[in-house]
Amino acid sequence: MRLIQIICVSAFAVGLLISCESTGVKKKETDNPKVSIDDDVDKVPEIDQVKDVKDTLTLDNGIRIKWFERGEGEQMKYGELYAIDFRVMIDNGDIVDGNHLLKKESIPFMIGFEMQTPGWDIALKNLKVGDFAEIFIPSELARGEKGIKDLIPPNANNILRIRVLNKMKADRNVDGNKVWIFERNESNTLGFDDSQELIFHTITSSQSNPRYVNSYMDGRAFSMRLADYGVVPGLKKALINAKKADRMLVFVPASEAYKSKGYLDVVKPNEDLLYNMLIMDVIQE
């Protein structure tokens, strides 16, 4: 098992959970046909339909937002989690990402940890719960010169269609450490405490260093006990009573993480952490 000092900085991403880290989703042509204004509207998902523009906003960095509907909910803000329905298109109209490709009605999104591309964090600060919008994101704020092989060409602009469905209430909030559980097996009853060992995968992000730990890609899970030295205090609190097969996002404020010291060259002083986790096992010792 790997040393716990590394998992303290565990981040997030959504390798197995959802496409938050979004390297894109391989697709078949039939998964996302291009939408024409002449298409039968009843057969086209609402998010793909041609809509009248109600309002617009152009930012200095080239991001352009067109609203089809203006929501009446709260402004999206850092540290809160929201359920979104989205599509990402490139210049030629091909859809390269979206929760529908993952067979999910929505995915969770939090501003501030580059869960998608930098342009998302910038643009979504201007949206509210209930908004339905189309956002032009220039290539340098999307996948840039690298693109994604066989999916997004280099220097491709992105067009994001998004509906902000709702703010997601945390399942647990312990001293500001917030836990959202997306999947769980109700038959698993053994909860993690000081008499168990926890085995898990994680992608961990700080605000300045997205996805600096990714055990999904490394292929090696972490091991943790509450008595282990060096574990982020907030992570310990958040994972108490975690159960096997839980998929979760965990937000740990800086005051419960590395505080003003930071951690090596991966977490700056006073940075919050976001963990994307899959609990592999809870072992009774």
Side-chain angles (χ1 to χ4, degrees):
M1 297 300 175
R2 300 170 72 181
L3 293 178
I4 201 65
Q5 282 86 343
I6 301 178
I7 72 161
C8 322
V9 287
S10 313
F12 90 88
V14 195
L16 301 179
L17 178 55
I18 32 186
S19 77
C20 293
E21 177 186 317
S22 195
T23 52
V25 180
K26 292 290 184 181
K27 58 179 177 54
K28 304 174 184 176
E29 287 298 321
T30 54
D31 283 337
N32 22 235
K34 296 177 183 178
V35 178
S36 164
I37 196 169
D38 299 321
D39 287 342
D40 185 344
V41 171
D42 291 337
K43 297 180 181 179
V44 177
E46 185 179 15
I47 197 168
D48 295 321
Q49 294 175 16
V50 176
K51 296 280 188 178
D52 293 333
V53 176
K54 306 295 185 184
D55 200 1
T56 63
L57 175 66
T58 300
L59 303 180
D60 292 341
N61 53 27
I63 289 176
R64 301 193 297 270
I65 306 174
K66 298 189 297 187
W67 279 270
F68 306 126
E69 295 177 19
R70 282 285 205 171
E72 297 182 355
E74 70 170 33
Q75 194 91 16
M76 293 183 73
K77 57 187 179 182
Y78 171 81
E80 299 293 346
L81 200 66
Y82 301 89
I84 62 170
D85 181 14
F86 79 101
R87 308 280 188 271
V88 177
M89 295 174 284
I90 53 177
D91 298 301
N92 64 5
D94 284 349
I95 297 176
V96 295
D97 200 3
N99 46 285
H100 67 301
L101 298 176
L102 296 158
K103 312 278 189 227
K104 292 183 178 290
E105 293 184 1
S106 66
I107 68 162
F109 184 85
M110 181 182 291
I111 291 171
F113 292 92
E114 218 170 287
M115 293 181 77
Q116 284 274 357
T117 62
W120 280 59
D121 281 356
I122 296 168
L124 268 58
K125 292 176 184 177
N126 296 281
L127 300 190
K128 294 181 177 180
V129 173
D131 278 359
F132 177 22
E134 182 175 287
I135 303 170
F136 173 84
I137 301 175
S139 62
E140 59 269 23
L141 294 174
R143 298 295 173 183
E145 296 180 355
K146 293 182 178 180
I148 297 177
K149 186 178 179 181
D150 299 327
L151 187 66
I152 299 178
N155 301 311
N157 300 315
N158 284 189
I159 299 92
L160 167 64
R161 277 210 165 202
I162 183 170
R163 184 182 288 276
V164 185
L165 301 176
N166 58 269
K167 177 180 173 180
M168 304 179 71
K169 183 179 179 181
D171 292 274
R172 295 193 292 270
N173 187 336
V174 184
D175 297 334
N177 302 287
K178 293 184 279 190
V179 179
W180 294 268
I181 302 174
F182 301 105
E183 294 180 18
R184 67 180 93 204
N185 185 336
E186 297 293 349
S187 65
N188 293 328
T189 59
L190 181 61
F192 177 59
D193 61 23
D194 56 8
S195 64
Q196 280 99 36
E197 178 185 10
L198 192 70
I199 311 297
F200 63 90
H201 276 294
T202 180
I203 307 172
T204 305
S205 294
S206 66
Q207 294 154 278
S208 64
N209 196 358
R211 300 173 291 281
Y212 66 86
V213 170
N214 190 337
S215 68
Y216 297 103
M217 291 191 69
D218 293 344
R220 292 186 295 167
F222 290 110
S223 169
M224 167 180 156
R225 299 173 181 82
L226 288 180
D228 286 341
Y229 174 78
V231 180
V232 165
L235 185 61
K236 286 184 178 182
K237 294 177 182 179
L239 292 180
I240 290 174
N241 205 38
K243 297 178 176 64
K244 181 179 179 178
D246 283 354
R247 295 183 184 270
M248 61 179 70
L249 285 176
V250 178
F251 174 86
V252 177
S255 60
E256 293 281 316
Y258 295 108
K259 304 182 181 181
S260 61
K261 292 183 178 180
Y263 181 76
L264 300 177
D265 60 346
V266 292
V267 180
K268 292 182 178 180
N270 300 312
E271 281 197 313
D272 305 325
L273 303 178
L274 185 62
Y275 298 76
N276 180 324
M277 308 186 74
L278 169 61
I279 307 304
M280 303 299 292
D281 207 352
V282 179
I283 301 171
Q284 183 69 56
E285 295 185 328

